[in-house]
């Protein structure tokens, strides 16, 4: 089912004409209400009225995470505080948190888009949604929650953590859709298994996984192990939260961006030049319907590619490929660029290796070293030391052949790598300390 068939299957020309009108309105709005945007546009010598086509967007200056931090906490809000009904914030693990606000209409828009997203993943009002995204300042929990209610589904607001209780709820309430980070899902499955609850006997038809990068191979692993369709959902607090884009159940190939609300661009992260469809680069978003916290050409740091080809599902909105990583998560190991998700892909191909891993980067004698710690299953763990050493060498060789980078592989005991209740921390970069 397509929740909002009119907008999601709109011919390109009609969509672009709506986008332009909305863009012009949002530009006038931020120019009049947010001193940061007024100054940025004045400095660039551009007035909102100068943007006469979507192509003209390239003239607009970018907005960066640093800009949001400089205006902490509410300096980027484009409406008076009296009109803000909700505040969320990013966790701020890499610095000052970024704070975002929503008007009542923004909350409605978000609920509508999340309902559209859930429906693209096959959810209907008859579904029971087990929502294990964290509730709180993180946008995952409440974002999915409002969308599920808007769709008319039954939502279980279980949030992250309390994993054993979650397993019992999954067994007893018989939810049909799971929403969680992929890493927490694996943890949940493992805990359930230990309690004698197998996902194969549960009632899930689909899982809607996002908030962190996960590879195609991880999808295969989850689908096989947990017996459900695994759908990728993407979003970020600065742009709205979950529900900026999602894969459709029909194709499961690329995430449709809700282009009637967000204009995506791909740029070269080093030069800032806009790139054509099909090229890989940094994803940039302009929000065109938000009231409290619009962003103009916001640099996400996420790396992907846009694909405008028609989709079997009938949606006309452009698709973004699975995010391979963030510009700031990319490891440069002796000059070779590596994303954690690429290592994940290699690991997932190895028989007996579990989807729990950690990448440790060090610098020894001015040389970068990469150590990959990966868990093995109980079956392998009982093997002879020699066999395990052979496996380590094999994985190391696979990584070298596939990615061109040398890595030391250390097999870890089953369940020895810390599990996440939200976003997984895969990389320990000791070079930064
Ligand atoms: O993670 C919103 C969200 C919640 C999305 C639930 C999907 C599901 P933030 O905490 O602001 O918002 O983190 C945003 O997470 O810029 C990406 O780097 C990463 N990210 C989000 N979804 C995906 C995904 C939420 N599907 C940042 N694949 C983004 C890869 C993702 N990375």
């Amino acid at each position: 089912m397509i929740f909002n068939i009119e907008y999601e299957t709109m011919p390109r020309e009609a969509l672009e004409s709506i986008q332009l009108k909305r863009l012009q309105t949002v530009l006038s709005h931020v120019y009049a209400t947010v001193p940061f945007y007024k100054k940025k546009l004045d400095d660039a010598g551009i007035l909102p009225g100068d943007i006469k086509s979507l192509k003209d967007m390239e003239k607009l200056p970018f907005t960066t995470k640093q800009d949001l931090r400089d205006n902490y906490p509410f300096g980027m809000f484009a409406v008076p505080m009296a009109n803000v009904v909700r505040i969320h914030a990013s966790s701020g693990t890499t610095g000052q948190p970024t704070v975002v606000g929503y008007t009542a209409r923004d909350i409605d828009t978000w609920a509508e888009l999340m309902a559209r997203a859930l429906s693209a993943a096959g959810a209907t009002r008859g579904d029971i949604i087990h929502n294990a995204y964290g509730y709180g300042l993180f946008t995952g929990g409440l974002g999915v929650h409002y969308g599920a209610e808007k769709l008319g589904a039954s939502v279980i607001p279980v949030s992250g953590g309390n994993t054993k209780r979650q397993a019992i709820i999954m067994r007893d309430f018989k939810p049909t859709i799971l929403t969680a980070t992929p890493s927490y899902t694996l943890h949940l499955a493992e805990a359930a298994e230990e309690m004698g609850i197998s996902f194969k006997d549960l009632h899930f038809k689909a899982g809607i996984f996002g908030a962190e990068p996960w590879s195609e191979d991880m999808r295969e692993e989850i689908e096989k192990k947990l017996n459900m369709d695994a759908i990728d959902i993407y979003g970020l607090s600065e742009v709205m939260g979950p529900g900026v884009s999602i894969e459709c159940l029909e194709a499961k190939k690329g995430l449709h961006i809700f282009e009637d609300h967000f204009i995506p661009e791909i740029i070269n992260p080093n030069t800032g030049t806009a790139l054509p469809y099909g090229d890989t680069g940094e994803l940039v978003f302009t929000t065109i319907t938000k009231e409290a916290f619009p962003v103009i050409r916001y640099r996400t740091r996420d790396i992907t590619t846009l694909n405008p080809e028609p989709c079997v599902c009938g949606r006309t909105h452009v698709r973004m490929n699975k995010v391979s990583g963030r510009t700031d998560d990319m490891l440069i190991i002796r000059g070779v660029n590596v994303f954690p998700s690429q290592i994940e892909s290699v690991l997932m191909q190895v028989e007996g290796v579990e989807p729990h891993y950690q990448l440790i980067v060090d610098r020894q004698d001015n040389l970068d070293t990469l150590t990959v710690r990966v868990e093995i299953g109980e079956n392998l763990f009982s093997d002879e030391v020699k066999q395990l050493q052979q496996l380590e060498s094999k994985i190391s060789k696979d990584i070298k052949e596939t990615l061109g980078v040398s890595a030391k592989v250390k097999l870890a005991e089953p369940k020895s790598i810390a599990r996440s209740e939200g976003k997984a921390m895969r990389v320990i970069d000791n070079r930064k300390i």
Side-chain angles (χ1 to χ4, degrees):
M1 186 191 87
I2 298 187
F3 190 77
N4 185 330
I5 196 146
E6 184 195 344
Y7 278 94
E8 292 186 41
T9 60
M10 191 170 260
R12 202 72 219 162
E13 217 172 283
L15 178 66
E16 287 180 1
S17 136
I18 288 178
Q19 284 183 320
L20 180 60
K21 254 189 238 136
R22 290 182 170 177
L23 172 67
Q24 288 165 334
T25 307
V26 83
L27 282 175
S28 306
H29 176 54
V30 295
Y31 190 76
T33 54
V34 185
F36 165 84
Y37 283 117
K38 177 165 186 334
K39 181 166 187 320
K40 268 248 165 144
L41 288 182
D42 286 347
D43 288 352
I46 300 167
L47 285 170
D50 295 341
I51 304 302
K52 298 202 162 56
S53 70
L54 290 177
K55 183 82 186 132
D56 285 342
M57 277 191 80
E58 288 176 22
K59 298 181 192 157
L60 294 169
F62 292 114
T63 307
T64 63
K65 185 123 186 146
Q66 190 55 46
D67 294 328
L68 307 189
R69 288 194 176 131
D70 292 346
N71 288 283
Y72 174 85
F74 304 142
M76 300 291 275
F77 285 15
V79 295
M81 222 37 205
N83 295 351
V84 172
V85 300
R86 175 97 67 81
I87 292 168
H88 281 284
S90 70
S91 57
T93 43
T94 53
Q96 203 158 38
T98 42
V99 182
V100 298
Y102 305 77
T103 63
R105 202 187 84 181
D106 292 336
I107 295 288
D108 279 351
T109 308
W110 189 11
E112 151 96 13
L113 290 182
M114 259 316 304
R116 279 164 65 172
L118 292 167
S119 130
T124 66
R125 49 182 306 126
D127 279 303
I128 302 180
I129 301 180
H130 183 106
N131 184 18
Y133 284 117
Y135 281 63
L137 285 176
F138 175 55
T139 51
L142 285 166
V144 169
H145 185 101
Y146 275 62
E149 287 187 348
K150 179 92 180 174
L151 183 67
S154 318
V155 56
I156 309 173
V158 64
S159 193
N162 225 332
T163 307
K164 286 194 171 146
R165 183 158 164 243
Q166 298 221 14
I168 293 169
I169 289 174
M170 290 186 319
R171 182 194 61 199
D172 297 347
F173 296 8
K174 303 186 173 45
T176 48
I177 303 274
L178 174 61
T179 52
T181 61
S183 58
Y184 185 58
T185 299
L186 291 170
H187 177 30
L188 201 51
E190 193 176 67
E193 207 70 46
E194 276 169 16
M195 294 164 68
I197 301 170
S198 164
F199 262 71
K200 293 228 161 37
D201 303 327
L202 296 179
H203 295 77
F204 289 118
K205 55 183 189 191
I208 303 176
F209 304 122
E212 62 188 11
W214 53 300
S215 60
E216 263 323 307
D217 301 86
M218 180 70 95
R219 187 206 308 272
E220 265 178 46
E221 174 91 10
I222 291 181
E223 293 195 330
K224 199 170 65 196
K225 264 198 178 159
L226 308 190
N227 192 30
M228 59 168 82
D229 279 300
I231 306 284
D232 194 2
I233 183 167
Y234 168 89
L236 63 166
S237 345
E238 297 90 326
V239 171
M240 187 179 75
V244 172
S245 67
I246 187 152
E247 287 176 331
C248 56
L249 183 61
E250 292 84 346
K252 279 198 264 175
K253 203 168 190 326
L255 298 86
H256 291 279
I257 296 173
F258 293 123
E259 283 185 282
D260 45 332
H261 293 268
F262 313 108
I263 302 182
E265 294 172 88
I266 296 288
I267 61 161
N268 174 326
N270 302 318
T271 61
T273 317
L275 299 174
Y277 283 149
D279 279 15
T280 301
E282 179 179 349
L283 183 61
V284 169
F285 275 113
T286 299
T287 64
I288 50 174
T289 53
K290 282 208 309 178
E291 294 180 330
F293 194 87
V295 286
I296 308 297
R297 299 196 89 199
Y298 181 68
R299 293 187 60 160
T300 64
R301 303 184 189 178
D302 293 322
I303 304 290
T304 185
T305 313
L306 294 179
N307 168 15
E309 274 156 35
C311 183
V312 284
C313 71
R315 285 178 183 78
T316 47
H317 294 186
V318 77
R319 281 176 281 173
M320 54 185 263
N321 284 355
K322 252 178 166 320
V323 170
S324 51
R326 294 172 57 82
T327 48
D328 43 3
D329 269 358
M330 187 176 76
L331 299 169
I332 305 178
I333 310 289
R334 301 191 196 182
V336 184
N337 298 351
V338 188
F339 285 112
S341 60
Q342 293 175 300
I343 304 233
E344 178 179 295
S345 284
V346 176
L347 296 176
M348 294 296 94
Q349 314 262 351
V350 182
E351 192 72 33
V353 158
E354 295 293 311
H356 302 286
Y357 63 95
Q358 230 170 22
L359 311 180
I360 302 143
V361 191
D362 274 300
R363 182 163 290 149
Q364 282 164 5
D365 304 329
N366 290 320
L367 276 183
D368 300 328
T369 60
L370 171 65
T371 307
V372 178
R373 277 188 77 216
V374 60
E375 273 183 27
I376 47 173
E378 297 283 355
N379 299 353
L380 276 192
F381 191 58
S382 49
D383 279 8
E384 302 268 323
V385 173
K386 193 155 165 251
Q387 279 167 301
L388 295 180
Q389 282 170 344
Q390 277 169 355
L391 184 59
E392 287 177 340
S393 314
K394 177 198 161 359
I395 299 174
S396 181
K397 193 163 151 261
D398 288 353
I399 293 175
K400 177 84 188 173
E401 276 173 9
T402 321
L403 305 174
V405 68
S406 303
K408 188 174 170 130
V409 175
K410 281 192 182 161
L411 298 180
E413 280 178 38
K415 313 214 168 96
S416 61
I417 292 179
R419 303 295 189 248
S420 90
E421 291 190 347
K423 297 182 191 242
M425 287 280 290
R426 307 256 193 230
V427 180
I428 302 170
D429 193 342
N430 294 322
R431 295 175 302 183
K432 289 180 192 151
I433 297 168

